[in-house]
């Protein structure tokens, strides 16, 4: 479970950032610079190239799913294949949760995507390798949220009434 | 109240939620910034409301905007508000926003401590979970310290969901607050055996991360992990554990053995663990996996329409190979073609990996081919970064371990010249330093190098045409220096001189201009010398005029160095011109300005200078003034110091003889002092008589490669030539072998007869002077190299005037020779150390009677004092098995004894302090004590060793031949001192006549110098006086005369036996030729 991830980015073919998660404290300005630089490099690569590249002192592992690029930065001695596996697992989770996920799902429910990511990875480490338990946790948290929301709507209706 | 709620709700209905915001942004593609700024204004309004739902919605939108790159730090306090909401929905959004926007310097984090603590102890596990997740992103040292205890309790929470998160976050806490590690560790260890697999893997995760930082402390956990590894079925966990063992095995070797079995099982089961077992490289027999990697790569390259995942395998395979290369180079080398193919890959990541591998894979045989491929890539490469990478790699590959793999330096120079044509490289400096290095160290290449550099200087405009390519103009620095320093080799020095004085030069960087100016002066000297030989004196004057015309340009330079050198030289040239007008011959004197050679010195040479006896480097020269000394004591101290002066006069009473002896000793010392500028006899001579000793060379090297390639060099030509050369050699060899086979008809199968030559069959076309760690000789001496050319057993003698360099040449063993029963190898080695009268030179000869795996090749000796001899033996393992437990033993004679460590008996062998993998050579040194040096002697010895594969003891007999010559040290002597020595009359006379010597006189002298460690004191026509000294201080003087084919040597020495033996040895040397 060799993932000491520095950050994970999701961006589209057009270079629009869809999700970013930083596992080490980085200044806002540096983040922006790194994201811009990385997107340029990754987008310039042809589809049949391998998923790894060395960039600064990091290794970049990326994979393209439909129009979205999933891109992770790991340290020199970390395992790139496992990182690829992590990306795939995350995509599977999104897919299960949204039901054949598309870019729009992530755009409009970006907070949900974050929740899933947070439930899967924590501080750059994998929390749980079981898809089932991750999804279960998310579902239950969502259930809790709905419970939260329903009494409020009643109140609101009362307020309106 | 009700109204307020109603108002809030109505407002809410008109608010934009996240979906609206996203949609809005998508609809305002043209004026996105403007749209977002209005949205931010709205959000600011929403945040001002009391309704937590509105606030949460606003914060959610802010998080989205933050992701798009907008600054939302101003809303930090509102985020904390939302975090502290009691409702999970809002809390979740609050924590998400916090985890995205907060960092260590966010000041509101201080306010969150209590809120987080409350959430951590919430009865709702999801509240706790969300808090832990958030905390993992923005934990600060303060938070870690304050919350460490709470998190620790959570590690034994009833819910695995919480336990798992708590365990994981502990790692972050340890990082921020290391003190927490000690109390938390026992509990963390407990979690390794948690019933829940998630918690377990989290614990493995954290401990592996910790162990990576400091493996020693976690060695005790090895048994536990071993159990986990054999029992766990979770691949993710397994990989992590294997990685952990990778960190542990170097500390505990026994672990490695234990791991072999389970690991091989794992590998057979799961191929994708591959990339994780980088550690496996330490387990030799797991090399099995290598073949599999190779299969992967070949598979992937074989497929015409390879997809990305195959590229991934390729990358990983190359990566794994680079790990294995370090320990098992042979097994990787067999996949060379595959790796070369990867260089053609479209993917830069893969190309870079393959490049890395190439470095370790080159050999003499394939270097040209590999570099040729790389050069093609250089031409094709688009990005400058990749091109620069290629360039450095080419140079790295070629220059590694002292140019070990280069057989033809002309080819290398051409490669370097070709590289200068690269556009926009940053590595001009690197190329320049290579050019200088090669030109200085490879004597045979200078003519060629100078010609190439002259062309470069001539075409300097191509290099400097574009200001952006300033990086490459560093090359001109090297070119100018080489042309100046070795100007005697220039075909047309005048043309080069003009090229160096072009006005365009003034645009170059200062340090390059400085070199231009200085070397223009050197060239000027050479040109003058050539022109003065002619009868027409106007040419010389025109040259001076050219200098005077052009130099003022540099005198005006803003660069101090350039200005200073230029004005110096300008004045000099003006003076020369004046002399020329008076018809005075000046060339010789001008040349004298630049006489002598700069010699490379090994970086470690200083270490080799022995500290003279009685000199303690750590002792104070003057006692440091003690601080307690009070002021009034000082006068006393001065007085006390003066006292010894009174005793001085005693020294003046030393007699004249003693004085003369001291003067001699001092001269000797100065002659050997690299930092003392002396009037060495040879350099004087070089100036007095034009040909000088510089031109002693006897037989030209029999190069099958032409020394000159017309036009600009094309490295490809060399590849072709090299191939032809090898083919010829191979043909020669085959012929011989066939003959042999006819004769012998031996049943023994030959390894290969026409197949690819083995590494040692390739004879280098040029030799590098390898400055090894030893002290270079300080004075000039003659050094000959004996080299056996493959295929024909004849020996070519090359003798070159050498200065200050140490030549070491490993001789190649040939098959033909192998079959000979006895083989003699001479290796002569000069060594000279400085200071304290301790001098060292030894010359050893080994006679070896053996064919099999180990070969003692190179023997060199060193004398540290009058009675010690150091014999360096190079062991080279020629067989295919690993050799270990080598023991070196010599039967002592009365006169010579092998020095053994204290406590060992007189017949014990010395353990050779290394083992030898196949094909590897290493050097060991042995010290012998010698009492009398007047007689030569042979020592018998044996080398025992164990062949690892068969575990058999093998024995190898050899003889060490200590000749009397070995005890002589090349010592320079001045003619006046020499005359004094002969006059003194305490030397015994002896003489010898050699008949039928058909070689030029200077060859003869060179031979005596090289083989017998003499130096030429003086030479007049066909008569020369020579001098040498033994390690015990015997003077040996020779007077060599030649007439026709007869050479007579009259010798004088204070030890007649020694003299007799030396003369015998000299006689033998000449009878062999």
């Amino acid at each position: 479970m060799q993932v000491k991830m520095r950050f994970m980015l999701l961006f589209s073919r057009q270079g629009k950032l869809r999700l970013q998660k930083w596992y080490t404290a980085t200044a806002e300005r540096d983040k922006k610079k790194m994201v811009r630089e990385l997107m340029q490099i990754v987008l310039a690569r042809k589809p049949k190239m391998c998923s790894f590249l060395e960039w600064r002192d990091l290794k970049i592992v990326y994979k393209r799913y439909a129009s979205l690029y999933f891109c992770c930065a790991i340290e020199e001695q970390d395992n790139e294949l496992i990182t690829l596996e992590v990306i795939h697992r995350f995509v599977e989770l999104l897919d299960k949760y949204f039901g054949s996920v598309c870019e729009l799902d992530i755009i409009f429910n970006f907070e949900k995507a974050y929740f899933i990511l947070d439930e899967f990875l924590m501080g750059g480490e994998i929390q749980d390798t079981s898809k089932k338990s991750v999804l279960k946790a998310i579902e239950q948290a969502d259930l809790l949220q709905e419970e939260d929301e329903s009494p409020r709507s009643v109140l609101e209706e009362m307020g309106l009434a | 109240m009700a109204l307020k709620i109603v108002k809030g709700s109505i407002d809410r209905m008109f608010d934009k939620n996240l979906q609206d915001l996203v949609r809005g942004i998508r609809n305002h593609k043209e004026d996105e910034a403007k749209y977002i700024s209005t949205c931010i204004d709205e959000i600011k309004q929403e945040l001002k409301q009391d309704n937590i739902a509105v606030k949460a919605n606003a914060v959610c939108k802010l998080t989205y905007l933050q992701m798009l790159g907008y600054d939302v730090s101003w809303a930090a306090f509102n985020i904390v508000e939302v975090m502290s909401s009691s409702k999970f929905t809002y809390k979740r959004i609050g924590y998400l926003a916090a985890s995205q926007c907060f960092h260590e310097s966010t000041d509101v984090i201080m306010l969150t401590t209590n809120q987080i603590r409350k959430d951590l102890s919430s009865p709702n596990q999801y509240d706790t979970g969300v808090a832990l997740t958030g905390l993992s992103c923005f934990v600060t040292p303060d938070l870690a310290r304050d919350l460490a205890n709470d998190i620790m309790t959570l590690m034994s929470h009833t819910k695995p969901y919480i336990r798992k998160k708590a365990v994981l976050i502990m790692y972050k806490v340890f990082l921020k607050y290391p003190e927490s590690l000690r109390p938390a560790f026992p509990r963390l260890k407990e979690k390794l055996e948690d019933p829940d697999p998630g918690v377990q893997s989290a614990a493995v995760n954290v401990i592996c991360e910790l162990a990576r930082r400091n493996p020693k402390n976690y060695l005790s956990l090895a048994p536990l992990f071993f159990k986990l590894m054999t029992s766990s079925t979770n691949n993710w966990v397994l990989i992590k554990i294997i990685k952990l063992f990778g960190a542990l095995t170097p500390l505990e070797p026994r672990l490695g053995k234990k791991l072999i079995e389970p690991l091989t099982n794992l590998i057979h089961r799961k191929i994708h663990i591959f990339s994780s077992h980088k550690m496996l490289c330490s387990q030799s027999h797991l090399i099995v996996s290598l073949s599999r990697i190779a299969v992967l790569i070949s598979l992937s390259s074989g497929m015409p329409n390879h997809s990305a995942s195959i590229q991934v395998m390729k990358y990983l395979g190359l990566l794994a190979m680079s790990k294995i290369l370090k320990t098992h180079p042979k097994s990787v080398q067999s996949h060379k073609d595959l790796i070369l193919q990867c260089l053609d890959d479209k993917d830069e990541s893969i190309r870079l990996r393959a490049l890395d591998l190439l470095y370790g894979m080159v050999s003499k045989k394939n270097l040209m081919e590999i570099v040729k491929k790389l050069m093609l890539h250089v031409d094709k490469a688009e990005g400058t970064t990749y091109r620069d990478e290629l360039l450095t790699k080419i140079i790295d590959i070629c220059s590694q371990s002292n140019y070990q793999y280069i057989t033809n330096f002309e080819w290398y120079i051409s490669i370097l010249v070709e590289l200068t044509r690269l556009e926009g490289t940053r590595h001009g400096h690197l190329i320049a330093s290579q050019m200088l290095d090669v030109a200085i160290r490879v004597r045979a290449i200078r003519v060629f190098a100078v010609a190439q550099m002259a062309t470069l200087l001539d075409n300097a405009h191509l290099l400097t045409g574009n200001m952006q390519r300033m990086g490459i103009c560093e090359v001109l620095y090297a070119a100018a220096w080489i042309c100046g320093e070795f100007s005697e080799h220039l075909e047309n020095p005048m043309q080069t001189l003009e090229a160096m004085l072009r006005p365009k030069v003034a645009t170059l960087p200062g340090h390059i201009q400085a070199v231009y100016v200085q070397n223009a002066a050197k060239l000027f000297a050479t040109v003058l010398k050539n022109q003065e030989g002619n009868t027409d004196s106007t040419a010389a004057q025109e040259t001076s005029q050219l200098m005077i015309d052009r130099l003022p340009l540099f005198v005006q330079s803003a660069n101090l160095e350039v200005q200073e050198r230029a004005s110096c030289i300008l004045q000099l040239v003006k003076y020369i011109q004046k002399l020329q007008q008076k018809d005075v011959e000046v060339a010789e004197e001008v040349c004298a300005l630049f006489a002598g050679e700069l010699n490379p010195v090994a970086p470690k040479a200083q270490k080799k200078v022995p500290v003279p006896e009685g000199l303690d480097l750590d002792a104070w020269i003057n006692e440091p003034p003690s601080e307690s000394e009070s002021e009034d004591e000082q006068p006393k101290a001065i007085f006390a110091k003066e006292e010894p002066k009174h005793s001085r006069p005693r020294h003046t009473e030393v007699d004249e003889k003693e004085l003369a002896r001291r003067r001699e000793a001092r001269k000797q010392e100065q002659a050997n002092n690299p930092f003392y500028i002396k009037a060495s006899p040879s350099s004087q001579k070089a100036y007095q008589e034009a040909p000088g000793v510089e031109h002693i060379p006897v037989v030209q090297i029999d190069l099958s490669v032409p020394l000159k390639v017309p036009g600009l060099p094309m490295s490809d030509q060399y590849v072709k030539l090299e191939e032809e050369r090898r083919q010829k050699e191979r043909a020669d060899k085959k012929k011989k072998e066939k003959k042999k086979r006819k004769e012998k008809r031996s049943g023994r199968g030959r390894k290969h007869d026409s197949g690819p030559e083995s590494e040692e069959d390739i004879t280098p076309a040029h030799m590098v002077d390898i400055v090894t760690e030893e002290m270079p000789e300080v004075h000039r001496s003659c050094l000959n190299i004996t080299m056996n050319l493959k295929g024909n057993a004849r020996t070519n003698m090359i003798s070159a005037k050498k200065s200050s360099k140490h030549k070491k040449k490993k001789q190649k063993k040939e098959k033909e020779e192998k079959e000979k029963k006895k083989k003699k190898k001479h290796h002569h080695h000069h060594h000279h150390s400085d200071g304290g009268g301790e001098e060292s030179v030894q010359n050893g000869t080994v006679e070896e009677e053996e064919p099999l795996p180990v070969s003692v090749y190179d023997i060199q000796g060193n004398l540290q004092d009058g009675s010690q001899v150091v014999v360096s033996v190079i062991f080279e393992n020629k067989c295919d098995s690993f050799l270990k437990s080598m023991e070196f033993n010599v039967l002592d004679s009365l006169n010579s004894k092998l020095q053994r460590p204290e406590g060992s008996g007189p017949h014990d062998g010395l353990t050779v302090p290394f083992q030898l993998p196949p094909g590897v050579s290493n050097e060991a040194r042995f010290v012998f004590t010698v009492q009398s040096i007047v007689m030569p002697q042979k020592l018998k010895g044996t080398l025992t060793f164990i062949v690892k594969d068969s575990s058999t003891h093998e024995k190898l007999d050899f003889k060490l031949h200590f000749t009397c010559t070995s005890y002589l040290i090349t010592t320079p002597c001045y003619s006046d001192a020499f005359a004094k020595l002969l006059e003194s009359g305490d030397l015994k006379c002896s003489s010898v006549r050699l008949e039928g010597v058909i070689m030029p006189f200077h060859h003869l002298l060179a031979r005596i110098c090289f083989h017998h460690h003499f130096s030429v004191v003086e030479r007049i026509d066909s008569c020369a006086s020579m001098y040498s000294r033994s390690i015990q201080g015997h003077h040996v003087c020779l007077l060599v005369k030649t007439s026709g084919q007869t050479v007579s040597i009259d010798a004088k020495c204070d030890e007649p036996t020694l003299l007799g033996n030396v003369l015998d040895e000299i006689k033998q040397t000449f009878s062999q030729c």
Side-chain angles (χ1 to χ4, degrees), chain A residues 3-140:
Chain A
V3 206
K4 192 71 200 61
M5 209 177 279
R6 293 283 194 83
F7 56 84
M8 185 189 240
L9 302 176
L10 261 71
F11 49 85
S12 68
R13 185 91 202 90
Q14 289 75 37
K16 285 260 194 283
L17 199 59
R18 295 300 176 213
L19 211 71
Q20 58 169 336
K21 189 87 192 171
W22 297 75
Y23 294 108
T24 40
T26 317
E28 233 21 83
R29 197 151 33 96
D30 294 340
K31 279 190 196 172
K32 263 190 221 170
K33 209 174 144 218
M34 287 164 92
V35 169
R36 206 169 338 114
E37 220 174 288
L38 250 185
M39 279 204 286
Q40 230 170 27
I41 295 174
V42 172
L43 288 176
R45 288 175 65 86
K46 299 195 177 63
K48 269 169 198 164
M49 289 188 175
C50 87
S51 298
F52 315 123
L53 45 115
E54 275 143 62
W55 178 73
R56 298 191 183 184
D57 56 336
L58 297 173
K59 274 200 279 202
I60 305 298
V61 178
Y62 74 91
K63 195 160 165 70
R64 183 180 165 177
Y65 288 89
S67 59
L68 265 189
Y69 282 90
F70 290 69
C71 175
C72 294
I74 54 174
E75 278 161 38
E76 192 67 54
Q77 67 269 43
D78 287 332
N79 188 327
E80 32 317 75
L81 205 50
I82 273 282
T83 313
L84 214 52
E85 202 65 20
V86 166
I87 292 177
H88 188 70
R89 181 60 58 99
F90 179 48
V91 175
E92 280 180 333
L93 285 170
L94 290 174
D95 201 51
K96 272 257 166 64
Y97 183 81
F98 291 109
S100 93
V101 67
C102 66
E103 196 183 336
L104 282 180
D105 286 324
I106 295 170
I107 297 171
F108 285 102
N109 301 293
F110 91 110
E111 85 279 22
K112 296 275 193 236
Y114 271 123
F115 293 148
I116 296 170
L117 185 60
D118 282 344
E119 211 56 57
F120 177 49
L121 294 175
M122 186 158 133
E125 299 275 357
I126 298 177
Q127 264 188 62
D128 210 313
T129 53
S130 143
K131 265 182 279 184
K132 237 194 321 193
S133 66
V134 173
L135 285 173
K136 207 178 102 195
I138 294 282
E139 271 160 26
Q140 283 185 342

Side-chain angles (χ1 to χ4, degrees), chain B residues 470 472-478 480 505 508-517 559 562:
Chain B
M470 275 327 235
I472 202 68
C473 67
E474 285 291 331
V475 172
L476 294 175
Y477 178 100
V505 173
L508 291 172
H511 65 284
I512 298 177
Q513 281 186 56
V515 167
Y516 262 71
V517 171
N559 187 298
V562 180

Side-chain angles (χ1 to χ4, degrees), chain B residues 81-320:
Chain B
E81 271 186 313
V82 178
M83 271 163 76
S84 52
S85 153
S86 57
K87 287 201 176 115
F88 178 69
T89 320
Y90 309 138
K91 192 185 286 300
R92 206 182 186 188
I93 288 169
Y95 272 104
L96 175 63
S99 67
Q100 292 297 99
C101 318
F102 287 5
H103 45 87
E104 280 192 25
S105 54
T106 309
D107 40 9
V108 289
I109 281 189
M110 291 186 311
L111 305 174
T112 58
T113 318
N114 277 322
Q115 179 57 41
I116 295 173
R117 183 173 287 145
K118 212 177 95 193
D119 288 333
L120 288 182
S121 52
S122 153
N124 183 342
Q125 61 165 328
Y126 294 104
D127 279 352
T128 317
V130 124
L132 283 171
T133 311
L135 189 59
S136 75
C137 291
F138 57 79
V139 61
T140 62
D142 286 341
L143 278 179
R145 188 193 57 225
D146 296 339
L147 297 171
N149 247 327
D150 303 76
I151 299 172
M152 220 143 73
T153 0
L154 287 181
M155 278 165 73
S156 5
H157 199 271
T158 48
K159 296 265 175 36
Y161 178 78
I162 301 296
R163 285 209 299 273
K164 164 180 90 186
K165 282 181 189 271
V167 168
L168 271 182
I169 203 175
M170 263 337 254
Y171 178 65
K172 288 263 167 181
V173 173
F174 295 150
L175 286 186
K176 300 282 177 194
Y177 179 59
E179 286 90 333
S180 60
L181 180 57
R182 197 166 287 277
F185 194 70
R187 201 168 285 185
L188 193 60
K189 208 173 127 188
E190 249 171 54
K191 295 298 139 202
L192 281 178
E193 291 172 295
D194 198 277
D196 184 86
V199 182
Q200 201 184 40
S201 70
V204 170
N205 239 336
V206 171
I207 290 182
C208 286
E209 275 310 315
L210 289 171
R212 211 160 80 177
R213 280 163 193 262
N214 185 8
K216 219 166 65 203
N217 294 351
Y218 300 90
L219 214 52
S220 61
L221 291 178
L224 194 61
F225 277 111
F226 193 78
K227 206 178 88 190
L228 273 177
M229 186 174 77
T230 42
S231 59
S232 175
T233 51
N234 186 339
N235 284 348
W236 304 79
V237 175
L238 276 176
I239 290 170
K240 194 88 183 184
I241 294 176
I242 292 172
K243 184 97 184 176
L244 173 79
F245 278 129
L248 293 184
T249 28
L251 299 171
E252 176 56 73
R254 279 172 298 170
L255 204 56
K257 279 190 195 128
K258 244 189 132 181
L259 283 173
I260 290 173
E261 204 206 311
L263 276 183
T264 14
N265 287 342
L266 278 177
I267 292 166
H268 287 296
R269 272 193 287 146
K270 301 171 176 90
I271 206 162
H272 79 252
I273 299 181
F274 249 146
S275 51
S276 70
H277 64 209
K278 288 159 186 168
M279 57 164 292
L280 294 190
C281 311
S282 60
Q283 321 285 325
S284 56
H285 85 272
L286 282 179
I287 263 344
V288 195
S289 54
L290 183 70
S291 53
R292 212 177 272 203
I293 295 168
V295 169
L296 281 178
I297 300 177
S298 55
L299 260 182
S300 42
S301 42
M303 283 191 203
N305 51 346
H306 38 217
S307 70
S309 76
I310 282 168
Q311 291 289 87
V312 165
M313 293 318 278
K314 229 188 216 178
Y315 178 91
L316 292 174
L318 290 171
L319 192 69

Side-chain angles (χ1 to χ4, degrees), chain B residues 700-704 725 729 732 736 760-765 767 786-798 809 811-812 814 816-817:
Chain B
Q700 278 300 311
I701 313 174
D702 182 19
L703 291 177
S704 38
R725 187 168 75 100
E729 279 170 5
D732 278 0
K736 281 230 162 154
E760 56 264 39
D761 289 344
I762 299 165
T763 45
M767 242 74 61
T786 318
M787 100 175 151
N788 291 342
L789 280 183
K790 196 198 66 64
N792 39 16
R794 93 200 127 111
T795 306
N796 279 355
M797 298 291 301
I798 317 155
K809 165 90 181 83
Q811 305 212 350
K812 306 296 178 205
E814 284 110 79
E816 288 88 343
E817 273 186 308

